[in-house]
Amino acid sequence: MIYAIVNILGKQFKLIQDKYVYIPKYSNKNIEEKIFFKQVFLFYKNGEIQIGKPFLKNIHVEVKILKHLKGKKIIIFKKKRRKGYKVKNGFRPSFTKIQVISFLEK
């Protein structure tokens, strides 16, 4: 098994070879477009672990954008008791579904 811990838009994700993952919306890149992530914190291959300080310079992750979609609705409800104050809001976060193609070692 090969995997890497990668920084994507300020959050850390575990990316596994040939698996897909949902990340926060990654700009307006086209579907089927390939992109590279260069901020790799940790890389695991064949029982060997490489840890960056803070990033690994010789490893990049190549991913393909599969689609852009919206998640489930998140409800925000605020209330102050005995004051008659109630506010209900909600939103649907945007996500991008990506698939890991390969890990490039230089």
Side-chain angles (χ1 to χ4, degrees):
M1 183 166 101
I2 301 171
Y3 69 89
I5 307 292
V6 180
N7 181 27
I8 303 172
L9 299 174
K11 296 183 181 181
Q12 296 177 15
F13 292 91
K14 181 179 180 180
L15 301 180
I16 301 172
Q17 181 81 35
D18 297 324
K19 299 285 182 173
Y20 64 87
V21 69
Y22 295 95
I23 62 172
K25 186 165 185 183
Y26 196 77
S27 69
N28 289 325
K29 299 282 185 181
N30 296 327
I31 295 176
E32 298 297 321
E33 186 174 344
K34 294 180 182 178
I35 53 177
F36 294 93
F37 294 121
K38 298 177 182 175
Q39 295 184 340
V40 179
F41 293 115
L42 180 140
F43 182 69
Y44 175 84
K45 181 179 182 181
N46 300 331
E48 295 181 20
I49 295 178
Q50 297 178 28
I51 299 174
K53 298 177 184 177
F55 305 115
L56 294 168
K57 292 182 169 64
N58 60 340
I59 297 176
H60 304 305
V61 181
E62 182 182 13
V63 300
K64 178 172 64 172
I65 294 177
L66 299 177
K67 63 180 171 179
H68 300 289
L69 58 141
K70 285 187 164 188
K72 292 184 177 179
K73 187 173 227 180
I74 297 174
I75 303 295
I76 295 106
F77 183 73
K78 297 178 184 179
K79 180 181 179 182
K80 295 186 179 176
R81 63 184 196 157
R82 295 188 296 269
K83 305 295 184 216
Y85 174 77
K86 290 186 209 175
V87 175
K88 182 178 177 183
N89 286 322
F91 71 98
R92 292 180 65 189
S94 297
F95 293 107
T96 299
K97 183 178 179 181
I98 61 171
Q99 180 182 14
V100 178
I101 296 172
S102 64
F103 298 98
L104 304 172
E105 299 179 58
K106 295 181 180 179

